[in-house]
Amino acid sequence: MSSPQFPESSPVTDTSSRKSQFTYRHLCQLASFAPSCPLRVVAHIDLDAFYAQCEMVRLGIPEDQPLAVQQWQNLIAVNYPARGFGVGRHCTITDAKKLCPNLVAQHVATWREGDDKWAYREDAAANVASDKVSLDPYRLQSRKILQLIKETLPSNLQRVEKASIDEVFCDLSAQVHSILLERFPELRSPPPHGDLTGRLPRPPVVALNWMADALVDLDEHAESQDPDWDDVAILIGSEIIRDVRGQIREELRYACSAGIANNKLLSKLGSAYKKPNQQTVIRSRAIQHFLSDFKITKIRNFGGKFGDNVTSTFGVDTVRELLPVTLDQMKLKLGDDTGTWVYNTIRGVDHSEVSSRTQIKSMLSAKSFRPAIHTVEQATRWLRIFAADISSRLGEENRRRPRTINLHYRHDGQMKSRQAPIAQGKALNEQLLFDLSRTLLNQILSEGNVWPCMNLSLSVGGFEDSVVGNMGIGGFLVKGEEAQALRSSAKDPGFPILPGRQAAKRRRLDGAGEGIHRFFIRHNTTNDHNASETEDNAKGLEDLVPGDPVTGLRNGNEEKNEADGASSESSECSRCGASFDWPQSLQSHQDWHLAKDLHDEERGQSRATIHPPASARSKGPSGPAPSSKRAGRGGKMEHGQRKLTFGGS
Ligand code: TTP
Ligand code: CA
Ligand code: CA
């Protein structure tokens, strides 16, 4: 007898309740990595205390030995045993030793004038003026790990994106799809009547074995629901990642943590959720529960002023508090696009793709001078080091060859640059790079005053496309000071910023017309800067970013603070309030902010193509270079664009 309370309840309804909520179309989408597929499985892998682990592996140090990696007087990585003593990244070396007398503090390798190779040096910490940090050892390990991940996953079903020196995203969808079909033959049959919108049969009700995964609790209303295919898919993803992590541990002796979810936003939050050496699974039915407790400003793209605006507009702090705000209210306060985007993001919706395009587009070697340098001799010595640095990294790029070389310098508060083509046909070695850089320096000197010079950087760009696929992965990192150079370059009013596509076109044209590029180009007058070069430089910046979520759309406030910070004498970071005993520590910390900004900016841009909040765009996606006004305070950048600020702003 049917219940009078539920007259519509019928055998038909019963049948449909045995159906999955997912359709045959969703299953197809899974095979093709469709970013909007609700069954999608994305993992984020992040190495634990990465530089510290590199040093431990290199030196054969036992796992329980507290160790920190030192850069001048700062700690840039602290292993977990040392963290147990309260040692953290912002400790001075002296404080750290007080907290943990047994601490091993290993200084990073450095380049030193006169040497043609970086080395680990006993006296590096005392030689900040003559040495330049080399992160080559960590890049090398990073590459090995990435390579192993790629070897562990089936070559035809993988999509792996290097997100920073110690992070990768893996879109596991296609592999999960193939395992699903293997394990559940019922999924192999075509949809009844060829109807892709038909619902899949439900998965057999078996207890899912999550092994040692950290499972984020389910949303309250979802606890009683039986598992559906999204749970099974993510479980398979989790098995895959457990295997990958096991391989990394076994073969290379590195521990890492991972997050597994249905998109990048959530998987990245997941990998930081439980550390070290753990993996966290965020099932779709747990997303709300997982996100609710996060502060809004910790969510990707909600950093800086944008996040502040959102929190102050609605008088809220956490995601939980923002959830009751309706879509209409959001649109009303933030505009249609931004409102919709915020509404979705705090609900864990993120359709950004995992992109396996990892080839670098440029390389940059830089040094900030405090105090400034004043002579050609000093500058030339640094050019030697830059040439050696870039040349050694170029060696890892297989047959790819850059077409242009740039010398950037900072004088009188402004970053400027000159560019020259790199003639093809000649062996591209350290000497050629050095000679070209000296020619550029002479050009600059003949045109005006350079001294005192606060920053000097050499970059090569416009790489020819490779014929060897993804061989060049991972050979790139922008250091804090390099990031500063880039950031400053972006501020140079002489650098027009082209939207990505135009820049790409220009790059092709530049290549084609190389024969007539006989003369050195004055960037700040010829408007010929290749914007995509700086964008690509921002890749790998997360190397300098702490484990907190990628945040990001840039804003005027950050820009200002950053400018303040660069010239600040105080020992407090004007952006986050962290205080430092050493000016070098503050500088390095501020470099980190810069690096993070650059990275976030790039991330924000690539995301903006998918979810463009209106306020994040100063103009249409293919509009021309923004003027300082259009991209000014509070304005956000377009895809492929970099914000410009002028003068002392
Ligand atoms: P993170 O992944 O942020 O941190 P981590 O790997 O040291 O520790 P966790 O276990 O929390 O992930 O950074 C990766 C490496 O980047 C780090 O080992 C050192 C470098 N780094 C800096 O050089 N400066 C910085 O300010 C930060 C945050 C990182
Ligand atoms: Ca890490
Ligand atoms: Ca990281």
Side-chain angles (χ1 to χ4, degrees), residues 46 164 166-167 545:
D46 182 289
S164 86
D166 80 330
E167 292 169 32
V545 175

Side-chain angles (χ1 to χ4, degrees), residues 13 53 146 170 185 317 324 400 422 428 432 526 529 549:
T13 324
Q53 280 203 84
L146 184 61
C170 306
D317 192 28
R400 300 184 74 225
I422 299 172
L428 182 52
L432 179 64
T526 59
H529 184 69

